Amino acid sequence: MKLMLVANWKNHPEDREEAKILISGLAKKSLLFKKLNTVIAPPAVYLDLVGQKVKSLGVLASQDIFEHEGTYTGAVGPNMQKDFGVKMAIIGHSERRKLGESNLVVANKVKTALKMGILPLLCVGEEAHDTDGAYFESLREQIKESLQGIKKKDLLGKLVVAYEPVWAIGKSAKEAMRPEDLAQMVIFIKKVLTELFDRNLADKAVILYGGSVDQSNIIDLKDTGVSGFLVGRASLNVKSFTELAQALTK
Ligand code: PGA
């Protein structure tokens, strides 16, 4: 199976012009990006612009999904996202959880995505990598609660989990997760999914890693059982994102 490479642009770049330059630059390398499952998640206001160019190299994702039905000032509904060509939604990123998004809200967003035919990319990850291993339990709890009330049949073959330990996001590559630790966490996440659902679902789930991934650590992190990466900073520049794709296709 092709590896997945997700660009999480967060609230960047600063303006439309730069967004256009970035996506056009990536589109020029479409042959390379097509060797992977490349996903671009721009801010909502650039979905239209990016959506027009992304098809040649991969698919369009949103960075969030709105879970309520009805009338809500300021909301962007999933139907609108779909209309722009959104195929996948990042859900429960730690930067949104920090703003107060609970596991229950995250689970409702996963349900909304599944109902709307948008692939949920669920972000999970512990706050701190303590030495007594308490993070295993907190991660298990988070995964369980972020998938509460969701039926196995709805999730089978449709779950992407991005393991993003909060302590490793936005740091230097040296401070990112060590490959041997990541290999252990991938096994652990699959074990939790097996406990919650079954082995078949766990085997079919796509597990990504995110947190200070760049060209200097991606090759070592690749051989850990992950199916790809969710990348922040290194996705904001044509050269650095291209280098990641090259490293993954070697
Ligand atoms: P980073 O961000 O690659 O800049 O650490 C990853 C993320 O938050 O998804």
Side-chain angles (χ1 to χ4, degrees):
M1 225 177 60
K2 286 182 185 175
L3 290 170
M4 189 178 278
L5 181 62
V6 186
N8 177 13
W9 287 6
K10 307 193 180 185
N11 49 334
H12 307 289
E14 284 287 298
D15 56 50
R16 268 179 77 80
E17 196 44 43
E18 271 188 66
K20 208 181 211 164
I21 293 170
L22 180 50
I23 191 64
S24 306
L26 297 176
K28 286 196 187 119
K29 318 261 178 195
S30 59
L31 280 183
L32 171 67
F33 287 111
K34 277 281 181 193
K35 292 184 187 162
L36 301 162
N37 279 326
T38 303
V39 181
I40 310 289
V45 288
Y46 302 147
L47 281 176
D48 193 12
L49 185 155
V50 174
Q52 290 171 31
K53 301 237 176 209
V54 79
K55 284 189 200 91
S56 67
L57 67 116
V59 304
L60 186 66
S62 59
Q63 296 177 8
D64 190 24
I65 196 162
F66 188 65
E67 78 276 28
H68 300 290
E69 285 176 27
T71 303
Y72 292 93
T73 299
V76 175
N79 269 327
M80 299 169 183
Q81 295 185 341
K82 277 192 90 167
D83 194 35
F84 282 137
V86 165
K87 301 271 188 278
M88 191 186 282
I90 298 176
I91 297 174
H93 190 279
S94 61
E95 287 154 9
R96 299 209 59 83
R97 291 178 184 267
K98 212 156 60 186
L99 293 172
E101 202 164 282
S102 66
N103 287 328
L104 178 61
V105 169
V106 170
N108 286 335
K109 289 185 172 189
V110 173
K111 272 187 217 165
T112 301
L114 291 168
K115 195 170 135 203
M116 299 302 299
I118 293 175
L119 199 65
L121 192 169
L122 169 66
C123 296
V124 296
E126 74 280 0
E127 291 284 331
H129 207 69
D130 45 79
T131 45
D132 59 2
Y135 58 90
F136 282 110
E137 214 30 62
S138 61
L139 186 62
R140 173 186 272 119
E141 235 4 70
Q142 193 188 41
I143 297 172
K144 208 166 133 189
E145 290 185 11
S146 299
L147 292 171
Q148 61 187 289
I150 300 170
K151 294 193 187 81
K152 185 178 81 185
K153 70 169 179 35
D154 294 332
L155 212 52
L156 187 66
K158 292 187 192 138
L159 179 63
V160 182
V161 177
Y163 171 58
E164 294 210 310
V166 181
W167 54 267
I169 294 177
K171 300 277 170 50
S172 70
K174 267 202 220 107
E175 294 166 285
M177 190 131 210
R178 291 184 315 186
E180 55 273 32
D181 291 336
L182 180 56
Q184 197 182 30
M185 297 316 286
V186 174
I187 293 169
F188 180 72
I189 291 167
K190 294 222 171 209
K191 184 168 169 274
V192 172
L193 291 175
T194 304
E195 281 165 20
L196 288 177
F197 300 98
D198 63 14
R199 181 74 193 270
N200 187 26
L201 185 136
D203 283 345
K204 291 202 163 80
V206 172
I207 315 282
L208 310 178
Y209 170 74
S212 304
V213 174
D214 70 17
Q215 194 223 2
S216 70
N217 62 4
I218 196 163
I219 295 200
D220 290 340
L221 291 169
K222 187 174 110 173
D223 295 323
T224 52
V226 292
S227 305
F229 295 91
L230 175 57
V231 183
R233 272 163 313 159
S235 73
L236 291 173
N237 173 293
V238 175
K239 184 171 177 283
S240 57
F241 199 56
T242 302
E243 282 170 356
L244 296 186
Q246 276 161 346
L248 291 183
T249 50
K250 250 181 211 148

